[in-house]
Amino acid sequence: MSDLIKDLLNFSKSSRANLYPEEVHLSQMAEQVIKELRMTNFKANYQIHIQPDIKVYADPSMMRIVLTNLLSNALKYSQKVDNPTIYFGKTSYHGREILYVKDNGAGFSMEKATQLFKPFTRLHSESEFQGTGIGLSTVKRIIDRHNGEIWCESEPGKGAVFYFTLNLDPAHQSDSETTGETPVN
C-alpha cells in the first residue's frame, strides 16, 4: 500500500509540480539511484554499466523519478535471468541525443507496447513481478513535460530498451522526426 501511495504522489507531482531546470549530471544520479535500489530491493549480483559524464538540462527532482522508475524496472525484470545486466547511456540518432536504459530481462511483446505508458497497466502478472502499474505512466508525463519523447523496444525473454529524449533547452527546438529503431552498442 505504501508503494502505491508513493507512486500516486509521484504521478500527481509529475504533471503539476513546477519545473526548475538546470544542468543535471545523470550519470552520477544513476549511480546514486542504483546504490539506493541495491540497498533496499535488489540484492542480486547485477552487472551495471553506466556511461560516464551524461549531463542534461532538466529538472533534477523529476529526472530522479525517471531514473528510479526505469532502473528499478530494469532490475526487477532482470532478476530471474542468469547474469542480469543493466545499461544506462546515451547515443545519437539523426543528430538527436537519445538516452536509454537497457536490460537483458523478461522483456515483452511489442504488440502490447502501446499499453505500457497507461496508468495501472501491467504486461506481467503480479505473481511474476510486483508493481503498481503507475511507474511508466509517470515517466512518460515527466518526459512530456520536458518536451521529449519516450519509446521502447523489446522481445519476450530478450530484455527491453527504453529510449527517451529531453528538449527543455530553449536553444534546441523540438524535432518532429519520427523515432524508429535505435541501435544501442
Side-chain angles (χ1 to χ4, degrees), residues 1-111:
M1 185 58 100
S2 68
D3 285 344
L4 179 58
I5 291 168
K6 180 186 74 160
D7 287 348
L8 285 170
L9 288 171
N10 280 339
F11 187 67
S12 175
K13 178 182 176 183
S14 70
S15 59
R16 295 197 284 165
N18 289 331
L19 295 180
Y20 298 101
E22 61 185 66
E23 184 178 77
V24 180
H25 197 302
L26 281 187
S27 298
Q28 288 178 351
M29 187 179 283
E31 289 173 9
Q32 292 168 345
V33 167
I34 288 291
K35 184 178 180 181
E36 292 165 10
L37 290 170
R38 281 185 156 169
M39 289 174 33
T40 58
N41 299 322
F42 301 98
K43 308 274 188 222
N45 191 20
Y46 290 86
Q47 291 183 16
I48 309 290
H49 303 278
I50 297 173
Q51 186 175 331
D53 300 320
I54 297 174
K55 295 177 184 171
V56 297
Y57 183 71
D59 181 286
S61 65
M62 294 291 174
M63 287 298 94
R64 180 169 273 284
I65 293 169
V66 167
L67 288 180
T68 299
N69 276 290
L70 292 177
L71 291 169
S72 176
N73 280 353
L75 292 167
K76 175 174 42 176
Y77 291 106
S78 298
Q79 66 189 352
K80 296 179 181 180
V81 300
D82 294 333
N83 304 311
T85 307
I86 311 299
Y87 298 89
F88 171 66
K90 75 175 179 178
T91 188
S92 181
Y93 186 70
H94 292 281
R96 298 174 70 194
E97 183 175 276
I98 299 172
L99 304 160
Y100 64 87
V101 173
K102 178 180 179 180
D103 67 65
N104 65 339
F108 52 86
S109 169
M110 287 300 292
E111 293 170 357

Side-chain angles (χ1 to χ4, degrees), residues 121-152:
T121 302
R122 298 180 42 105
L123 300 186
H124 298 278
S125 71
E126 181 72 21
S127 62
E128 282 183 290
F129 300 100
Q130 292 184 342
T132 61
I134 298 176
L136 288 176
S137 55
T138 301
V139 167
K140 179 162 178 22
R141 279 191 179 189
I142 292 169
I143 299 302
D144 287 348
R145 291 200 59 211
H146 283 77
N147 300 320
E149 297 176 72
I150 184 164
W151 68 99
C152 60

